[in-house]
Amino acid sequence: MKRDFKFDNIKALLIFLVVLGHSLEYLYGVKGTYGAIRAVIYSFHMPAFVLISGYFDSRSKSSVSEVVVKYLVTYLIFNTLFAISP
């Protein structure tokens, strides 16, 4: 399989967003506009890493759409539970 550099660029962008999110939290806390930006970054960067890593799993016999649906449902369930927890 030939290396697809699009995925390398996406992972680099996600790593940058992780660093940005942690920096915003450290510098400005979790309230206000910067807190909202941080929350948006945190809402998708780890699931995106998981999906990209799962895409390259050669042991998986499932189609890409089946894997995306499976992980998306799991993500939505746990994200909802996290959002409603005190």
Side-chain angles (χ1 to χ4, degrees):
M1 181 172 171
K2 222 174 154 185
R3 188 173 189 113
D4 190 356
F5 293 105
K6 288 187 295 187
F7 289 106
D8 291 336
N9 292 333
I10 292 169
K11 288 191 294 187
L13 176 66
L14 290 171
I15 290 169
F16 171 75
L17 289 175
V18 170
V19 173
L20 178 64
H22 286 290
S23 298
L24 289 174
E25 182 178 4
Y26 177 75
L27 294 172
Y28 302 106
V30 294
K31 297 186 189 310
T33 304
Y34 294 114
I37 293 169
R38 178 192 148 278
V40 169
I41 292 170
Y42 279 25
S43 70
F44 73 88
H45 77 278
M46 287 310 293
F49 275 122
V50 169
L51 288 173
I52 289 172
S53 298
Y55 179 77
F56 290 108
D57 184 13
S58 61
R59 296 172 294 171
S60 176
K61 302 298 181 214
S62 303
S63 70
V64 173
S65 62
E66 291 173 346
V67 172
V68 168
V69 168
K70 181 172 69 171
Y71 285 113
L72 184 62
V73 168
T74 305
Y75 166 72
L76 290 174
I77 290 170
F78 284 103
N79 201 31
T80 302
L81 290 173
F82 178 72
I84 64 174
S85 68

